[in-house]
Amino acid sequence: MASSIKCLIIGSGPAGYTAAIYASRAGLNPVMYMGGQPGGQLTTTTEVDNFPGYPQGVDGPTMMVDLETQAKRFGTDVRFGMATKVDFSSQPKKVWIDESTEILADSVIIATGASAKWLGLEGETTYNGLGVSACAVCDGFFYRNQTVAVVGAGDTAAEEASYLANLCTQVHLIVRRDEMRASLIMQERVKKNPKITIHWNSETEEILGDANGVTGIRIKNNVSQATEEIALTGFFVAIGHQPNTSIFKGQLDMDAQEYLITEKGTSKTNIPGVFACGDVQDSMYRQAVTAAGSGCMAALDAERWLAASNLH
């Protein structure tokens, strides 16, 4: 028999936990299913220095434990499990956990996040958090006055290379083809920056390192087949993110990159009673603090919708 709850939160991380804190304090008795990566992307980050309230910084997993503890303090029912199927065509909404447990929810807050796309190199796993990153804004500070590389050819890669050039001694931009996909203005900004060296027609063969982290990369020119080793301490992969929205296809509106579309200035999706927050609906900022802010919005939107629908 399906269990019925007032507010279901799908996914954890800064957005989900903040939504849980606000929803539980509002008396919505939220139930959270943490998903396949409890705590979200920050659990793979060794140090977080840009989240307010941690003057000495904090490692990602510890921060997520803090947020989870705070959510539980106000009564959030935090459960292991992943949403594998949804049906938002009727009220209450139906959500299946791990393909078996059926949940009936008056309101749903989606905080499933987005996953960074990787090259598939062994070193990305070995040195993740030890020199390998998918976010220059998050981690660039740790590489001040050092040499780093950025992989990618779109606006994100150009923006990250430019950002890092303000902090680092030298930035190597690895571009697979003989041209970039980035907008012309971003391309010109990169090309004119004396700190940025562009390696055209090049691919990363291996990330080099030792027990302390990344020490360099080996790249290969896919035209001449020549290889080159570059000494550096930071390797930033900027080939995009994939929002975790596959189970919502056909039910919730998405943009071309499959991010959930929310009504401007709110967390409301096209289905009344279903709200989205965090990276699952944010392709631009993708920061812990902006995710947390949107989690607050989602809980407030859910509370108001439940009240207006005489469900709270």
Side-chain angles (χ1 to χ4, degrees), residues 11-25:
S12 43
Y17 283 133
T18 304
I21 291 166
Y22 274 79
S24 54
R25 283 171 56 85

Side-chain angles (χ1 to χ4, degrees), residues 13-278:
Y17 283 133
T18 304
I21 291 166
Y22 274 79
S24 54
R25 283 171 56 85
L28 302 187
N29 303 314
V31 172
M32 169 188 282
Y33 279 94
M34 293 193 289
Q37 187 179 21
Q41 292 186 74
L42 277 184
T43 57
T44 65
T45 302
T46 55
E47 195 166 355
V48 180
D49 258 351
N50 55 5
F51 195 90
Y54 293 97
Q56 304 305 318
V58 61
D59 67 90
T62 298
M63 180 180 165
M64 291 303 97
V65 170
D66 287 345
L67 291 180
E68 180 183 349
T69 300
Q70 189 174 359
K72 287 180 175 178
R73 173 189 166 203
F74 297 114
T76 301
D77 183 352
V78 179
R79 303 176 182 177
F80 289 103
M82 177 183 291
T84 51
K85 178 184 175 183
V86 300
D87 181 358
F88 295 151
S89 63
S90 60
Q91 186 65 29
K93 282 74 177 166
K94 298 178 182 178
V95 178
W96 285 263
I97 305 298
D98 296 328
E99 300 182 356
S100 57
T101 303
E102 183 179 352
I103 302 290
L104 300 178
D106 292 333
S107 63
V108 176
I109 295 175
I110 298 169
T112 49
S115 301
K117 295 179 181 178
W118 299 98
L119 300 172
L121 299 173
E122 182 179 348
E124 290 174 318
T125 301
T126 303
Y127 301 113
N128 198 310
L130 294 172
V132 172
S133 171
C135 180
V137 174
C138 308
D139 300 326
F141 176 85
F142 302 113
Y143 300 91
R144 287 187 301 174
N145 302 317
Q146 299 177 46
T147 299
V148 301
V150 175
V151 176
D155 278 346
T156 298
E159 289 170 2
E160 299 225 328
S162 298
Y163 177 86
L164 289 166
N166 291 325
L167 301 170
C168 302
T169 304
Q170 186 176 15
V171 178
H172 295 274
L173 181 59
I174 315 301
V175 179
R176 186 166 55 89
R177 300 188 300 170
D178 60 357
E179 61 182 0
M180 297 181 68
R181 301 189 314 274
S183 58
L184 289 177
I185 189 170
M186 290 304 301
Q187 290 190 46
E188 288 304 309
R189 186 179 302 174
V190 167
K191 292 175 182 177
K192 290 180 179 179
N193 194 314
K195 286 189 176 183
I196 300 175
T197 301
I198 303 177
H199 300 263
W200 301 105
N201 298 306
S202 296
E203 300 180 44
T204 306
E205 278 197 330
E206 186 178 0
I207 302 170
L208 309 173
D210 56 26
N212 295 317
V214 172
T215 60
I217 57 173
R218 184 172 66 251
I219 63 174
K220 180 179 181 179
N221 185 291
N222 53 37
V223 175
S224 68
Q225 306 302 308
T227 61
E228 176 186 0
E229 289 192 4
I230 303 172
L232 47 77
T233 54
F235 183 74
F236 292 84
V237 181
I239 58 175
H241 286 73
Q242 178 61 47
N244 301 317
T245 56
S246 59
I247 66 170
F248 309 116
K249 288 182 179 179
Q251 302 200 50
L252 296 179
D253 289 345
M254 303 179 187
D255 65 15
Q257 285 73 47
E258 299 182 357
Y259 285 87
L260 296 183
I261 296 174
T262 52
E263 181 182 315
K264 186 176 181 180
T266 79
S267 64
K268 300 174 183 177
T269 68
N270 59 297
I271 300 291
V274 178
F275 309 90
C277 56

Side-chain angles (χ1 to χ4, degrees), residues 259-309:
Y259 285 87
L260 296 183
I261 296 174
T262 52
E263 181 182 315
K264 186 176 181 180
T266 79
S267 64
K268 300 174 183 177
T269 68
N270 59 297
I271 300 291
V274 178
F275 309 90
C277 56
D279 288 9
V280 75
Q281 52 83 56
D282 176 15
S283 62
M284 180 175 293
Y285 298 105
R286 297 194 301 270
Q287 298 299 300
V289 69
T290 52
S294 68
C296 164
M297 293 168 59
L300 294 176
D301 287 341
E303 178 192 5
R304 293 165 182 166
W305 182 83
L306 288 167
S309 303

